[in-house]
Amino acid sequence: MERTHTCGELRTSNVGEAVVLMGWTAKKRDFGIFTFIDLRDRYGLTQIVVSEETANQAHEKAKNVRGEFVIAVKGTVVARTPETINKKLPTGEIEVQASEILILNDAKVPPFQLEVVGSENLASEDLRLKYRYLDLRRSQLQNNIRMRAKTIAKIREFMEMRDFIEIETPILLKSTPEGARDFIVPSRIHTGKFFALPQSPQILKQLSMIAGFDRYFQIARCFRDEDLRADRQPEFTQLDIEMSFANQEMVFRTLEGVMREVFALIDADFETPFPRMTYADAMRRFGSDKPDLRFKMELADLSEDLRETDFVPFATVLENKGEIKCVVARGKADYSRKQLDELQEFVKRYGAGALAWIKIGDELTSSLLKVLGQEKIEQLAKTANAEKGDAVLIVAGKKSVVAASLGALRVEVAKRENLIAKNLYKPLWVTEFPMFEYNEDTGNYDAMHHPFTSLMDEDVPLFKRAIEDGETELLGKIRARAYDIVINGYEIGSGSIRIHQREIQNLIFKALGLTPEKARERFGFFLEALEYGTPPHGGFAAGIERIVMILQGTDNIRDVVAFPKTASAQDLMMDSPGVVDDAQLKELGIKIVE
RNA sequence: GGAGUCGUAGUUCAGUUGGUUAGAACGCCAGCCUGUCACGUUGGAGGUCGCGGGUUCGAGUCCCGUCGGCUCCGCCA
């Protein structure tokens, strides 16, 4: 018996045809002398009807069929009478009248119900992760994984049309201490030495430019041994791109093209070019380098109004080069004490000391009324652009803390108050990222993007001063030719125009506190390569999972990964990571201590 | 590494101030049922209250520890 059709394709036009369907038993409804079976495969659901009268043997078989049994059904497509049509199913106008049923395989009762109505009755995620292959049978996850496949297919089609060459780079690389923690792999042949899995194929794609491939792309698996988040897994997939003789505009046009193509899969259209915002503006206006532009609610600066204040906490903040900023929650003058306390707890997570507030109800009330006085409060409300009915939420502190807490509060309030429209997609380029980031633990400056990023021409003199005159604090002001794509508050990906001159690369390493010896030890092969005719080049890497999350409207990365890991980086299905035999360890020269 | 939150039947949950035999719905098993599609109906089985310790005459409930899921901070060039 061969399958002739899938469970999603039969329509009234097929009525009268003899068909064979194969799939899983989603539901059975037994009426004594006849039985309905909902047969499911990845294409859909088709109702099978088996009657004692017309197919006695098949009916006997159907009696034994249970949930998730795999069966084959031979029968005839029949039209349903008008009153028995199921409008919820694409196949709802027909059913298959079975003449023969074959049980291809039985199935244990599943540990949780696959066919549930609404997500509130869905089994807990850890149980579903343990039986991931069952959870994946649900149409929601089937759709996510299929959209992921479609996304990647679209990308390949787009890149190949534009002459990009897909190059596979090694998974077994060499560890570099910069950036994220590496996953390392012991070498048997070279006892005591280790490979590292790529955090990204950064250097290899640059070497591909030096090799003359001109336009590279890869659907690249990347690995980072860092703690997980709702949008972060230890292994993930990037669309990795690199272009020779390219400036920032050319990279932007390419990525905008990719994004338009991909979002067309859900009939979303982007206007190109995408809007742009500098990093400095994003931080100032939204307190974030990945602002969600689906709603307004920008941060307002109250520092100038409070410059002369004698309220000690504020005065201290301003003396220490801190800031006092706020967001306005429109129409939320009715926030209760309890709600404001909750929001205060929320901002404290980001290091804020407190959340001050002004409520413009029938009268003006504020947690600062006593210390600042009515007049000052009114002035602050005016600066914040708050009107009657609004609540002003204020944080004072270090610039980084104010940005982080108010940036997050802005999103939190928008979520609570349902300010974010569905099916709205707001892309943004964030540009002019800082080249260096001060590391409070080491007292050094680290590369914010990566050490192969080129500087903005305007900032090169400043950079030379920082290096040659030892004014290292200037490093914090140097801007890089680095950029991110942000969509709906998600960092979709980032890239930069790279350094293609050896001398500049040396200076960057110097700024990062890397001695020439250390630099040679870690990147010697790359530095040497730079000297053999490196074209100017730049590129980008975009997170596939985050794109698919937005396409599918989920906020959980596990929903778009077929076999994901938990927040503690374990696979509950195969129970990895696991122990290995002593013999294996011995062969590798590895001893487990403690 | 830190914080919050959850953990009770196969599943989703309820469980009062610490007090008799821990409940409901779905699922499962058996029977009945001529048009269901969340079928209906009758009956039945099913519990290490995550685990360990403590307080108490008595703990699902209170305390301490621990394990696991999720979310966030740190971390993620």
Side-chain angles (χ1 to χ4, degrees):
Chain A
M1 212 188 276
E2 271 182 36
R3 173 163 79 165
T4 62
H5 294 79
T6 69
C7 296
E9 65 175 311
L10 294 174
R11 298 288 185 275
T12 46
S13 58
N14 302 100
V15 166
E17 290 179 29
V19 297
V20 176
L21 299 185
M22 296 186 183
W24 285 262
T25 307
K27 272 260 160 95
K28 186 178 80 167
R29 290 176 294 279
D30 185 349
F31 285 81
I33 65 164
F34 67 92
T35 298
F36 295 110
I37 289 170
D38 287 341
L39 194 64
R40 180 193 67 225
D41 62 18
R42 80 167 164 99
Y43 305 92
L45 205 71
T46 298
Q47 176 164 281
I48 311 297
V49 59
V50 206
S51 151
E52 193 176 59
E53 212 174 313
T54 59
N56 192 16
Q57 259 190 325
H59 187 252
E60 280 307 306
K61 277 248 176 72
K63 292 262 175 208
N64 297 323
V65 169
R66 298 278 186 274
E68 301 307 316
F69 274 33
V70 186
I71 63 172
V73 176
K74 192 175 194 173
T76 313
V77 182
V78 297
R80 299 202 201 181
T81 56
E83 66 276 14
T84 62
I85 284 172
N86 185 350
K87 287 187 180 130
K88 289 185 225 160
L89 286 179
T91 61
E93 291 187 27
I94 56 94
E95 62 196 1
V96 171
Q97 178 96 45
S99 57
E100 206 177 315
I101 284 183
L102 211 61
I103 295 178
L104 301 174
N105 214 338
D106 61 3
K108 285 167 71 174
V109 174
F112 60 93
Q113 283 160 253
L114 275 64
E115 305 290 334
V116 292
V117 182
S119 55
E120 60 276 11
N121 292 318
L122 203 54
S124 66
E125 199 179 351
D126 52 333
L127 186 71
R128 288 185 288 121
L129 284 171
K130 183 173 174 190
Y131 297 95
R132 183 66 170 179
Y133 45 88
L134 296 180
D135 202 22
L136 283 168
R137 285 184 193 166
R138 294 189 303 115
S139 60
Q140 190 202 329
L141 286 185
Q142 288 265 323
N143 290 339
N144 290 350
I145 299 304
R146 287 162 64 186
M147 180 57 84
R148 182 186 174 123
K150 278 189 206 168
T151 300
I152 290 172
K154 269 277 175 242
I155 288 171
R156 281 216 164 88
E157 186 189 314
F158 182 93
M159 300 311 286
E160 274 160 21
M161 284 274 286
R162 278 157 190 75
D163 260 340
F164 282 81
I165 300 168
E166 184 165 12
I167 300 175
E168 291 182 90
T169 53
I171 293 295
L172 295 177
L173 294 175
K174 189 176 156 188
S175 179
T176 54
E178 288 76 22
R181 216 172 274 120
D182 285 317
F183 279 101
I184 61 173
V185 179
S187 162
R188 174 185 57 83
I189 295 169
H190 303 279
T191 310
K193 290 188 173 175
F194 297 85
F195 295 103
L197 306 183
Q199 299 171 23
S200 83
Q202 183 60 39
I203 289 182
L204 294 153
K205 70 174 172 179
Q206 292 192 241
L207 288 167
S208 298
M209 294 304 101
I210 298 174
F213 285 107
D214 189 82
R215 295 180 148 211
Y216 146 98
F217 86 101
Q218 182 176 196
I219 305 296
R221 192 67 67 89
C222 304
F223 307 84
R224 294 177 190 174
D225 189 6
E226 297 292 346
D227 286 350
L228 293 82
R229 284 289 184 280
D231 62 353
R232 257 165 44 189
Q233 284 271 304
E235 56 179 301
F236 59 98
T237 305
Q238 283 188 341
L239 163 60
D240 200 38
I241 292 177
E242 198 72 12
M243 302 161 73
S244 289
F245 314 111
N247 59 22
Q248 182 171 292
E249 297 304 319
M250 292 160 79
V251 176
F252 280 19
R253 281 202 299 275
T254 302
L255 262 297
E256 285 168 357
V258 173
M259 288 299 156
R260 281 190 75 152
E261 198 72 19
V262 165
F263 275 76
L265 287 168
I266 56 164
D267 295 321
D269 196 15
F270 290 142
E271 278 185 37
T272 50
F274 294 171
R276 300 180 191 187
M277 195 182 294
T278 64
Y279 171 88
D281 279 346
M283 294 306 288
R284 181 174 55 78
R285 291 171 57 191
F286 298 96
S288 169
D289 61 358
K290 43 179 192 211
D292 190 337
L293 297 186
R294 287 175 297 175
F295 59 98
K296 295 254 189 286
M297 229 174 122
E298 295 193 22
L299 276 54
D301 195 340
L302 306 176
S303 305
E304 282 317 305
D305 289 327
L306 294 162
R307 191 64 63 193
E308 307 298 328
T309 188
D310 48 12
F311 179 48
V312 176
F314 283 2
T316 312
V317 160
L318 292 175
E319 262 168 49
N320 294 321
K321 292 187 174 172
E323 291 180 322
I324 302 156
K325 296 180 86 167
C326 66
V327 291
V328 176
R330 295 286 171 209
K332 297 318 293 179
D334 58 352
Y335 265 146
S336 66
R337 185 58 196 256
K338 184 169 168 255
Q339 286 171 305
L340 289 166
D341 281 349
E342 276 172 20
L343 294 178
Q344 170 157 278
E345 286 311 305
F346 180 83
V347 294
K348 279 183 173 175
R349 297 212 293 256
Y350 300 85
L355 183 70
W357 48 267
I358 301 169
K359 292 196 287 192
I360 316 176
D362 290 330
E363 53 190 278
L364 197 74
T365 57
S366 170
S367 60
L368 299 168
L369 198 54
K370 269 189 209 152
V371 291
L372 296 182
Q374 178 89 11
E375 201 180 325
K376 197 51 144 180
I377 298 292
E378 279 172 14
Q379 188 194 335
L380 293 180
K382 193 169 171 232
T383 302
N385 211 1
E387 289 165 6
K388 184 154 182 178
D390 295 346
V392 185
L393 306 170
I394 304 163
V395 171
K398 264 172 61 178
K399 283 185 179 179
S400 59
V401 167
V402 170
S405 55
L406 281 180
L409 182 65
R410 175 179 172 271
V411 175
E412 176 68 13
V413 170
K415 277 186 187 155
R416 286 180 181 222
E417 306 307 330
N418 270 321
L419 303 180
I420 304 174
K422 289 243 180 301
N423 302 322
L424 182 63
Y425 305 96
K426 288 283 187 187
L428 173 73
W429 286 108
V430 178
T431 61
E432 301 182 20
F433 270 80
M435 179 69 206
F436 303 102
E437 201 172 21
Y438 185 68
N439 184 329
E440 290 186 13
D441 295 336
T442 61
N444 276 334
Y445 280 85
D446 296 339
M448 191 159 177
H449 186 55
H450 57 59
F452 315 112
T453 308
S454 63
L455 307 178
M456 287 184 59
D457 291 340
E458 300 92 307
D459 291 354
V460 169
L462 206 60
F463 177 61
K464 290 210 162 133
R465 246 174 74 200
I467 300 299
E468 284 159 15
D469 306 342
E471 296 179 60
T472 46
E473 69 281 357
L474 286 177
L475 288 176
K477 294 188 163 46
I478 314 286
R479 292 165 300 169
R481 289 200 271 178
Y483 36 79
D484 280 4
I485 288 185
V486 175
I487 302 179
N488 294 1
Y490 280 99
E491 182 194 321
I492 288 304
S494 57
S496 62
I497 301 302
R498 327 295 183 190
I499 297 166
H500 61 279
Q501 292 141 314
R502 171 70 194 260
E503 307 80 64
I504 308 249
Q505 188 66 69
N506 285 347
L507 289 179
I508 298 284
F509 282 144
K510 194 173 172 194
L512 294 171
L514 221 59
T515 62
E517 295 73 38
K518 275 243 167 87
R520 202 174 309 128
E521 182 189 315
R522 283 175 203 171
F523 306 113
F525 66 101
F526 181 66
L527 296 175
E528 193 180 3
L530 281 178
E531 296 179 299
Y532 284 99
T534 301
H537 62 287
F540 198 82
I544 297 292
E545 286 85 359
R546 288 184 187 169
I547 293 172
V548 181
M549 281 169 70
I550 295 173
L551 294 175
Q552 293 300 90
T554 177
D555 53 11
N556 183 341
I557 193 170
R558 293 181 299 278
D559 285 346
V560 299
V561 177
F563 299 100
K565 292 179 178 56
T566 65
S568 62
Q570 284 179 293
D571 182 321
L572 296 181
M573 183 181 65
M574 60 174 59
D575 193 26
S576 73
V579 294
V580 298
D581 289 348
D582 286 343
Q584 275 178 290
L585 287 177
K586 202 172 173 195
E587 198 169 39
L588 295 164
I590 290 178
K591 203 175 247 165
I592 311 275
V593 293
E594 188 226 9

